[in-house]
Amino acid sequence: MKHPGPWGAALLLLWLAALLLLLPPGVPLPLRDWDEGIVARVALERALALARGDGFPSLLLPTYWGQAYLNKPPGLHLLIAPLLLPWLGADTPPPPAVVRLVPALAASAVVPLAALIRRELDPADRRGALAAAVVALTLLPLMRHGRLAMLDGALVSGQGLLWWQLLRARRPVPGAGLLAGLAGSGLLLLKGPVLLPTLAAGLVLLALERPQGLRWRPLLLGLLLGLLPGLAWHGLHLWSRGEAALVQWGGDGAARVLLGRGEGSDLGWRLPLLKVLEGGWPWLPLWPFAMAWAWRQRRQPRGLWPLGLQLAMALSVLPLRTQLPWYSHPLWLPFALLTGPLLAALVTDPRLPGVPGAAVLRRLPWFWGLLGGLLLLASLALPEARPLLPPAGLGLLLGGLALGATSPARRRRGALLLVAGWWASLLLLLQSPHWHWELKEQPPVGPAVALARRASADEPLALWHQAERPSLSWGAGRRVLPLARTPVPAGATLQLLSQGPGPVPGPAGHRCQPAASGQDGWRLWRCPAAP
């Protein structure tokens, strides 16, 4: 077996660091609404189909509480399903860490892929390639969303794999087109519409670059062959479910986020921009200079591709009418490709020849040192942040000061201190109960799950003046809908879950009495039919 060499060993170490962030379960926070609760249930029903021995076509058609699931393809759900088999028939659902394991593994691939893409663009700049992986490793949004049972972490890794293979096809490497097509099939089985801007961006950049070694015919043929599995699933879905299968591309898919006013539509393009400004630290100050440097190098692959991918992803995200925090996820891999080489240049040659704004950038290590000092002061003033901030503060302070030195060895140690400190704070955060503070729903669903499990399985159970909570249904083992959407047979006794004011007066035709109380004001009511 061939030894990977220092560069390969460093890349494996960075991937291991990503796995240490993503895989340990930490505090067992419940699955969140909406996405995690739905992903988990769809995967569990695929596990049930596996256990029943359903035929191949039936296994590939996802369901949600026994009804056709039309919103997303089942690519990630099918990978999660085998891990859930031991919990079939159990009294409690699978632990959140088990449901999140496969998405986290898929999301971790973005770290080595950032380095591999950068190395294809500039084979001589191996340190810049590793620095791109370092940036990807230490971006809070990539690591935080990557460990959730959502599609977005795997989606960014699929995009990176597709772009990497398109770049390898320039040499050309046998099978690169086929692998790019298979990556495209992966995107089709995650969020189909995302394939269009991802593939279009790569092909347009190839055409603009016009590499001498590229052979278009084998590339396009390989792409087509690789895309066949994803296209075949969409064909099966359309054949089995008719026009309803087009929901993924129309009403509840691309058309909804492009044209419909939904959550985040009041902020529009400002929401993904705010997410970049929030989540790009500590590398955000590098970004505008990296964009300018890439523009200066736009006639070379190392400038053309990162700049083109950043612009292409921005054009696919910013115009969306519906905006959610994770819709900005595709912006982060191009961000790492842009800023990584500039970080490496600060370490190897602080004169920064050819870099726009070099005089300002040379002072950036002092800014990082100042930021580290502020974080240390914040850790003293904010008791709740005291366990999390000191490593990042010390890393920025000591690393920033060392990065400003004239000695190359000191600068390398400074970069290592800065990265290690920030990574350690991310590790502490992701093992704490605060790691998805932005995504935590209110009110917490745990007390309602405990009451729902005490409710009679033979009587309808509904939510009183509450919207649907997929994570509640997941924990309860039964679908719990708002009262208006719950079928109640004539004369049947109804059960209600409420928080705060209960069903007084009760729903028409029923008289409600409290049956059990839980934390946070949750109550279970039993409502026999009125005589």
Side-chain angles (χ1 to χ4, degrees), residues 28-69:
L29 295 180
L31 299 180
R32 60 168 296 277
D33 294 321
W34 272 63
D35 303 66
E36 284 198 302
I38 294 176
V39 167
R41 182 65 202 184
V42 174
L44 184 65
E45 295 192 19
R46 294 307 85 213
L48 288 166
L50 277 172
R52 291 193 303 263
D54 288 2
F56 195 63
S58 177
L59 182 64
L60 294 177
L61 296 173
T63 57
Y64 180 61
W65 294 108
Q67 300 177 352
Y69 179 64

Side-chain angles (χ1 to χ4, degrees), residues 29-33 436 439-451 463 466 469 471-472 497-499 518-523:
L29 295 180
L31 299 180
R32 60 168 296 277
D33 294 321
H436 63 12
L439 308 176
K440 286 193 294 186
E441 289 78 24
Q442 297 295 333
V445 75
V449 168
L451 291 176
L463 286 166
Q466 292 268 350
R469 303 285 299 275
S471 60
L472 167 59
L497 279 173
S498 73
Q499 188 182 39
Q519 298 177 354
D520 297 332
W522 283 97
R523 285 187 177 184

Side-chain angles (χ1 to χ4, degrees), residues 76-96:
L76 193 64
H77 313 81
L78 287 170
L79 295 176
I80 298 171
L83 300 182
L84 309 187
L85 289 172
W87 281 270
L88 296 183
D91 291 335
T92 56

Side-chain angles (χ1 to χ4, degrees), residues 262-282:
E263 188 173 347
S265 60
D266 54 331
L267 289 174
W269 60 269
R270 291 179 291 276
L271 181 58
L273 182 60
L274 288 172
K275 293 300 137 188
V276 171
L277 296 177
E278 282 179 13
W281 296 94

Side-chain angles (χ1 to χ4, degrees), residues 458-461 483 486-495 508-510 527-530:
D458 300 323
E459 297 170 349
L461 176 65
L483 178 58
T486 301
V488 181
T493 296
L494 171 67
Q495 301 173 103
H510 293 82
C527 308

